[in-house]
Amino acid sequence: MEKIEVVPSLLSANFANLAEDIKKVESIGCSRLHIDVMDGHFVPNITIGPVVIKSIRKITRSHLQTHLMIDQPGKYIKDFIDAGSDTIIIHQEACPEIGETIKEIKKLGVKAGVSIKPKTPVETLKDIIQDLDLIMIMSVEPGFGGQSYILGSEKKISESKALLEEKGLNLPIGVDGGINAQNAPLVAKAGATHLIAGNAVFKGDILENIKSLYRSINQL
Ligand code: DX5
Ligand code: ZN
């Protein structure tokens, strides 16, 4: 099996002491952090903006992947890149001019990812996939941490893998939402290479949680 990375989703971390939680996940080898940005329009919840990412950037060298769950992401990508994001993930459903926005992200010197919601078919990625650095399959309806994994999402992961193979591409496939040590083997087997996890990392003993995620996929 390919090397798989656990990517902590900071939404479930302690926002009053983010630096400590970040140090903990890094102490056990995580070097990519997932940051959820929500606008109250594209999703019903509101989280953080560039100002928080700017502060996070100052205390870590980890790769920061910013998941924009916002309408009209094109309007804001520069702000999130200036704040220190290394990858910008936009939503296919939020972005009518997605090809242009992907180009714009890359022109600004960072990596571009596209995420799709549970009801959006993988084939909607087929014309843009060659321009991407990452694909991300949502395994919950975006908007909140701590939801249950939607069973069957692994099918979309295999479909993404097949599409990449068909195009001769080799990109990371992330899966985001409800990932834990029970379903990690399932999504890993389907082809996910980035397991994004919030609650399963930050609820309880962070170090033990990460170990148990890696153990579940036999990568510890
Ligand atoms: C959901 C977010 C996820 C979320 C994952 O809208 O995009 O990144 O934080 O959290 P868990 O792992 O708790 O579902
Ligand atoms: Zn996310």
Side-chain angles (χ1 to χ4, degrees):
M1 205 183 272
E2 230 178 297
K3 175 93 188 85
I4 294 169
E5 246 183 286
V6 171
V7 182
S9 170
L10 296 185
L11 189 59
S12 304
N14 177 6
F15 271 87
N17 207 344
L18 266 184
E20 193 184 310
D21 279 4
I22 289 172
K23 275 198 196 95
K24 260 195 198 153
V25 300
E26 289 176 340
S27 75
I28 192 157
C30 298
S31 58
R32 177 183 278 267
L33 304 171
H34 182 89
I35 303 173
D36 286 310
V37 175
M38 307 187 188
D39 66 350
H41 290 277
F42 181 68
V43 289
N45 198 6
I46 298 179
T47 57
I48 60 159
V51 68
V52 176
I53 297 178
K54 204 169 166 192
S55 297
I56 296 174
R57 182 73 288 168
K58 287 188 187 141
I59 58 117
T60 180
R61 299 172 94 165
S62 285
H63 189 104
L64 300 180
Q65 64 173 50
T66 300
H67 178 192
L68 292 182
M69 286 162 276
I70 64 175
D71 278 336
Q72 296 186 279
K75 265 185 162 177
Y76 301 96
I77 48 177
K78 189 168 182 311
D79 294 340
F80 285 98
I81 293 169
D82 289 345
S85 306
D86 298 296
T87 293
I88 298 285
I89 302 171
I90 53 176
H91 263 271
Q92 194 270 358
E93 307 85 354
C95 206
E97 289 174 353
I98 196 150
E100 288 309 305
T101 311
I102 293 164
K103 278 196 199 111
E104 186 75 23
I105 294 171
K106 296 180 98 166
K107 215 164 67 196
L108 291 167
V110 301
K111 295 197 183 301
V114 167
S115 178
I116 52 173
K117 299 207 279 185
K119 294 194 186 84
T120 305
V122 169
E123 64 174 41
T124 58
L125 299 176
K126 81 176 189 321
D127 294 333
I128 50 170
I129 203 164
Q130 67 283 352
D131 298 322
L132 294 177
D133 299 297
L134 175 120
I135 293 175
M136 195 173 80
I137 302 298
M138 290 303 301
S139 42
V140 298
E141 281 300 335
F144 299 91
Q147 303 181 72
S148 300
Y149 174 83
I150 299 173
L151 212 64
S153 306
E154 61 282 4
K155 188 165 169 267
K156 290 176 72 180
I157 298 170
S158 336
E159 285 168 9
S160 308
K161 200 179 167 192
L163 181 60
L164 287 171
E165 274 162 15
E166 188 188 309
K167 301 256 182 184
L169 299 166
N170 184 22
L171 304 182
I173 304 175
V175 56
D176 186 17
I179 297 302
N180 56 35
Q182 283 71 54
N183 53 41
L186 197 69
V187 296
K189 193 168 163 239
T193 54
H194 289 178
L195 310 186
I196 295 134
N199 262 33
V201 164
F202 291 105
K203 218 171 160 199
D205 184 331
I206 295 176
L207 300 184
E208 262 318 304
N209 288 342
I210 295 174
K211 279 190 209 159
S212 105
L213 280 164
Y214 276 115
R215 222 178 278 127
S216 75
I217 49 164
N218 299 318
Q219 293 209 355
L220 192 72

